[in-house]
Amino acid sequence: QVQLVESGGGLVQAGGSLRLSCAASGRSFSMSGMGWLRQAPGKEREFVAGINWSGNRQYYADSVKGRFTISRDNAKNTLYLEMISLKPEDTAVYYCAAALGTYAPSRIFDFRSWGQGTQVTVSS
């Protein structure tokens, strides 16, 4: 079982950028597909980005394509989400999540566990 702890959230103006990090513990991180989910107030949790175990394949939600980049460093057991050109509609709690397998997850149902989340607030 992998334990996940997110960091890097905060308050930023529209057009700004943030970098989220996820520190993972446990041996399974380097062999797991990973991803980011988010949940805005009053809305269901949604898929944001996914990456396979080796880092050479990624998927993104249409709403973040071209603005968000997911990456991982297996030597450091860390997952990242680089976010640029942020919009007010990106405001949400962002969760680091572990996939069911080694592949790059692309749907909310592809994940088996997630962390406590980090708040991202984008002001207009």
Side-chain angles (χ1 to χ4, degrees):
Q1 185 76 8
V2 59
Q3 304 297 320
L4 305 169
V5 179
E6 304 91 341
S7 62
L11 174 63
V12 64
Q13 289 188 333
S17 61
L18 281 174
R19 187 193 199 198
L20 305 184
S21 298
C22 172
S25 61
R27 295 182 177 181
S28 62
F29 175 82
S30 63
M31 294 305 296
S32 295
M34 297 293 297
W36 291 92
L37 310 174
R38 69 185 182 186
Q39 187 167 17
K43 295 187 178 181
E44 294 186 352
R45 193 168 297 186
E46 64 177 1
F47 170 80
V48 175
I51 190 168
N52 70 337
W53 70 277
S54 65
N56 65 354
R57 188 165 186 87
Q58 302 87 29
Y59 286 112
Y60 296 94
D62 288 343
S63 59
V64 307
K65 278 181 183 177
R67 300 188 298 119
F68 289 12
T69 302
I70 187 172
S71 62
R72 65 189 298 162
D73 186 336
N74 286 344
K76 296 182 178 180
N77 269 21
T78 304
L79 180 73
Y80 303 100
L81 185 69
E82 190 79 37
M83 306 183 293
I84 66 171
S85 302
L86 283 162
K87 305 175 181 179
E89 51 263 45
D90 294 319
T91 295
V93 177
Y94 283 71
Y95 299 90
C96 172
L100 291 167
T102 61
Y103 55 87
S106 59
R107 308 172 305 162
I108 188 80
F109 306 107
D110 289 334
F111 297 92
R112 55 180 166 88
S113 62
W114 42 85
Q116 294 298 308
T118 185
Q119 176 70 46
V120 171
T121 303
V122 184
S123 63
S124 57

